[in-house]
Amino acid sequence: MNRPSKTPLTAAVVTSLLCAGLLAAPAAAQPPTEPPTPAAGSWTVQAPPVSGVERLSAEVALDENGAPTLSVSAGDRVVLPPSPIGIVTDGADLSTGLRLIDRAERSVTESYTMTTGKNTQRHAVMREATLSFAGAGDAELDLVVRVAPDGVAYRYELPDRDGTTVVTGETSSWQLPNDAPAWLLPYTSWYEEPRAQTTAGAAATGSYGHPALFDVGGMYVLLTESGLSSAYPGAYLDTTAGTGRYAIGLVEEQVVADGELDTPWRTAIVGDLATVTESTLVDDLAPPSQVEDTSWIRPGRVAWSWLPEHSSPRDFERQKDYVDYAAAHGWPYTLVDEGWSDAWVPELVRYARAKGVEILLWYRWTDVDTQEEMDAEFSRIAVWGVKGVKLDFMNTGAPTHGESAARHAWYEQVLRETAEHRLLVNFHGSTIPKGLQRTWPHLMSYEAVRGAEYYSFAGDPRVTPSYNTMLPFTRNVAGSMDYTPMTFGQTSRSSSDGHELGLSVAFETGLLHLAEMPEVLATRPEAERYLDQVPTVWDETSLVSGAPGDHAVIARRAGERWFVGGIVGGAGREVEVPLDFTGGGRWLVETVTDDGSGGLVRTATTLTARQTLTVPVVENGGFAAVLCRATDGRTTCDEPVHTVPASTLVIEPGEAVVRPGDSVTVSATFTLDEGDPVRRVTMTPVPPAGWVADGDPQRRPRLAAGEPLTGTWTFTAAEDTASGFVDLPVVVEFDQNPATTRRRVHVEQAVRALVPPPAPSGVVPVSDLAFIAETNGWGPVERDASNGEADGGDGAPLTIGGTQYASGLGVHAVSGITIYLGGACDRFTAQVGVDDEVGDQGTVTFNVSGDGDDLAGTDVITGSAGATAMDVDVSGVELLTLEVGDGGDGINFDHADWADATLGCT
């Protein structure tokens, strides 16, 4: 539908603007056959006044050719001189030949609550002007300008003329003085290049990513974007050396949208360094929250194993070590990264939740890039009890660009679906924050930074302490940043332990992934003690001091305590920390610093808000401090670390075979092993989809340690229940102590039930049978094809030693496939080996087991060997399992084939 034209300026309005000097006299009327002559003029929008802050203003002007520009001033000083703006569509060039046809102005005042970020309670006050222009052929353009005390933003609104809007580019730009110091990173769609200092004019010709920081004579300018919608692609900054002009470039040549189109906000955060660092303008400009109930959204610290030991996410027992550590230290989460198996994740979730720890899971974004995949996968893991997902590699995926409109549509879609399933989200290999954390408050963090993981990539020398000091003033201004600090055991880093500990406060993120092994953290008790206290939700943030590339000292308040993180790049020094950010009073200050010999030491002192804390910092060092009100007898700011008491839930039977329509009786006994009594205890059966459970839940208002709670239920499978393994859970939940924790503890155990398919008969290719269970090291198991790559159906014909096989299974180590035989088969045969698609690379082992007992296996087989024959007696076997190991040297190139895999059955 076409939008009605804007109401033209009335004679009274024109006279008023002329008298005010805001509009030049109109040109004489033109013949109807010629377009109206553009009228030069300028229009100013001022920020609401704030005491002690230079008032910002934006001026939009049209030159004699009707070409618009925008400039930004602070008081009487021009910070950003006039820069061309405008947009071009397939039907009109709306960057020239414009004339003003209407103007509207209003105040925008919003109060909202965040779950993450620099402060949870936000209050935004902005002045907004909408300037409506007409161009050649009466093409319309609304330019919306907002000016806040901490910055200026503008966007274009295009009406729907013919059902489709096609943008072919913007002329939007920012003009900087050539000599303005600049902190820039070369543009990539994953924003992981190192940031470096240069000047606006000396920067090499090319493209640079948002956010970009400039120092204009002591007034800082941070350029970025906000309010990006699924209708528009991402943008970068294009510059030509020596010009100081940074033009908006789009990652797609055309933007096609149905109906009206609103572009993202082109945003300049402007002020002193504290104003820029503390700004929430990116969130203030974004659409409001789409999630009404946020009670389930809980940021927190995360134990994470991948960085210090890349193979650990494949190891169930090792993941339990990280869960145990998180539980002992009161950390709410453990992230299981690439390599986890659905064969054991449900058990790990149950193990963790009984200890008060929730599990987060890693996904490659292509695993959930369709609506069907999202529905299936998020439903599945929500049933397991998983609390969040880390989605990775959105920067890849040709033919679309990692910041294309289609990719941004996926960001919104996946956030909508995860909100439905109450799953927290962490984006990796991603774009930068552009306000979505306000719109979708379960979005905890983004990567979009060259973070600590690069220490493990052959010791990347470009992640330096000096580089780290740039991030609070650049990348982290835009939104939460998943840098993953605490890499104490990474020998390639040049930062001190105090620097690493300071990052826990200097950097903000909703999920603080602590990237170290439990055994290494245990050797640094002062770091452990501090990390057990540091929050990830903040009521207030204040820049204490800093200079990009040199040092940063950030103070953040949570409740009545202040936490301070200081980091330094370069020479050691004494860092002064004025305590006026506390607002007044006497404070107990506990500071953890490097002891000068590779360790950490804690000191305590009492100071007033008018005094200054002096901290000695070693080369490339840092510190972390916590402040609390000084009262008589108070010796520490530490608060109790809340852990969950040990408990036991026994469920019988442990395993069962249940055919469709049949039932199994399940009994459970719960005992609190230690600690104070717990309250509001419930024991409940949780039947999976397609099952019913008969029997009432068991409840106790209070349960003391050693006192049993028991229950019995009958689970019945539907007549059309699908074959395979299914868990039949019984769940106990209780309040540990309402005075110390608001969360309920979840303890769960399950009967492992098998719904068997019909037993096979005759001579059967294994690839024709349903799998009861399967795991695979890379991508899915392929039937009658090699493993190929990560996607299903991407394998080639099974080929070993030059011989091609028509049937079989293509897998990747480490792999396991379970098939139901029901005792009906007596022989399994196959030709096994490394598929020719990896050449002479790869080393694997093959093993056949029946009902848990090993029946046959091979030595290590290499890619240069041919096929090995296997002929195995499987008489009486109910469940046959085919396993492939990695040969002891990792899983690279371990593409393995079970070629001509056949069962002989009666």
Side-chain angles (χ1 to χ4, degrees), residues 124-473:
V125 180
M126 295 174 274
R127 192 67 179 165
E128 178 187 280
T130 300
L131 302 174
S132 299
F133 296 103
D138 288 329
E140 296 180 15
L141 168 67
D142 283 352
L143 174 68
V144 184
V145 180
R146 285 188 179 180
V147 184
D150 57 345
V152 172
Y154 66 91
R155 74 178 181 190
Y156 310 111
E157 296 181 358
L158 298 174
D160 172 19
R161 280 293 185 192
D162 55 6
T164 301
T165 299
V166 180
V167 173
T168 58
E170 294 185 25
T171 55
S172 312
S173 62
W174 304 98
Q175 182 65 51
L176 282 303
N178 273 329
D179 61 353
W183 292 267
L184 307 175
L185 78 160
Y187 174 73
T188 65
S189 62
W190 58 99
Y191 294 87
E192 293 180 26
E193 289 302 305
R195 192 177 294 269
Q197 183 173 351
T198 179
T199 65
T205 298
S207 301
Y208 295 88
H210 292 117
L213 180 67
F214 302 87
D215 177 359
V216 183
M219 185 68 73
Y220 286 83
V221 175
L222 188 81
L223 303 180
T224 190
E225 58 180 338
S226 178
L228 196 75
S229 74
S230 57
Y232 217 76
Y236 49 82
L237 296 166
D238 260 340
T239 191
T240 300
T243 65
R245 176 161 294 175
Y246 287 77
I248 298 297
L250 303 180
V251 303
E252 292 182 300
E253 293 182 357
Q254 287 193 339
V255 183
V256 181
D258 293 329
E260 295 188 5
L261 175 66
D262 297 344
T263 71
W265 293 99
R266 304 296 167 216
T267 306
I269 301 173
V270 180
D272 60 20
L273 195 57
T275 297
V276 171
T277 307
E278 299 164 14
S279 173
T280 60
L281 186 58
V282 170
D283 293 329
D284 297 343
L285 292 165
S289 174
Q290 297 295 302
V291 180
E292 292 185 8
D293 177 14
T294 62
S295 61
W296 56 276
I297 300 171
R298 185 182 173 213
R301 292 152 293 170
V302 187
W304 181 48
S305 70
W306 179 89
L307 195 155
E309 40 184 339
H310 289 350
S311 63
S312 61
R314 302 178 182 277
D315 187 337
F316 171 54
E317 293 299 327
R318 187 55 173 156
Q319 290 308 301
K320 288 168 66 176
D321 293 340
Y322 281 83
V323 167
D324 290 343
Y325 187 86
H329 291 268
W331 300 0
Y333 298 108
T334 294
L335 168 64
V336 189
D337 214 283
E338 181 180 14
W340 60 266
S341 169
D342 55 8
W344 50 258
V345 162
E347 184 179 348
L348 180 68
V349 172
R350 289 191 286 268
Y351 178 85
R353 297 185 81 184
K355 295 173 175 283
V357 177
E358 305 286 2
I359 296 297
L360 312 173
L361 291 180
W362 177 94
Y363 279 90
R364 185 178 293 271
W365 84 279
T366 51
D367 296 335
V368 288
D369 62 346
T370 68
Q371 183 66 55
E372 294 74 20
E373 289 172 337
M374 291 182 197
D375 289 341
E377 201 60 27
F378 296 153
S379 296
R380 181 172 76 125
I381 65 174
V383 168
W384 293 350
V386 171
K387 287 304 179 196
V389 290
K390 172 183 175 180
L391 303 171
D392 209 345
F393 298 121
M394 284 78 72
N395 57 292
T396 63
T400 58
H401 189 279
E403 287 203 288
S404 66
R407 194 62 47 85
H408 283 109
W410 176 87
Y411 277 103
E412 292 185 5
Q413 182 185 13
V414 80
L415 287 168
R416 186 176 299 107
E417 294 302 318
T418 48
E420 287 291 325
H421 291 88
R422 296 197 163 193
L423 296 169
L424 305 181
V425 175
N426 174 26
F427 286 136
H428 255 238
S430 66
T431 185
I432 56 170
K434 300 175 184 180
L436 281 180
Q437 285 182 275
R438 178 184 177 185
T439 311
W440 299 102
H442 63 299
L443 173 52
M444 295 287 97
S445 195
Y446 294 73
E447 186 183 24
V449 67
R450 197 178 194 87
E453 70 176 21
Y454 279 83
Y455 289 135
S456 67
F457 300 155
D460 180 15
R462 295 189 290 176
V463 180
T464 66
S466 294
Y467 160 80
N468 287 345
T469 68
M470 299 179 192
L471 298 176
F473 312 115

Side-chain angles (χ1 to χ4, degrees), residues 611-627:
Q611 292 180 290
T612 296
L613 174 70
T614 301
V615 184
V617 175
V618 302
E619 181 182 9
N620 292 327
F623 66 92
V626 57
L627 288 72

Side-chain angles (χ1 to χ4, degrees), residues 565-584:
I567 54 175
V568 162
R573 69 200 76 168
E574 287 190 342
V575 175
E576 303 292 324
V577 184
L579 301 185
D580 53 356
F581 61 83
T582 62

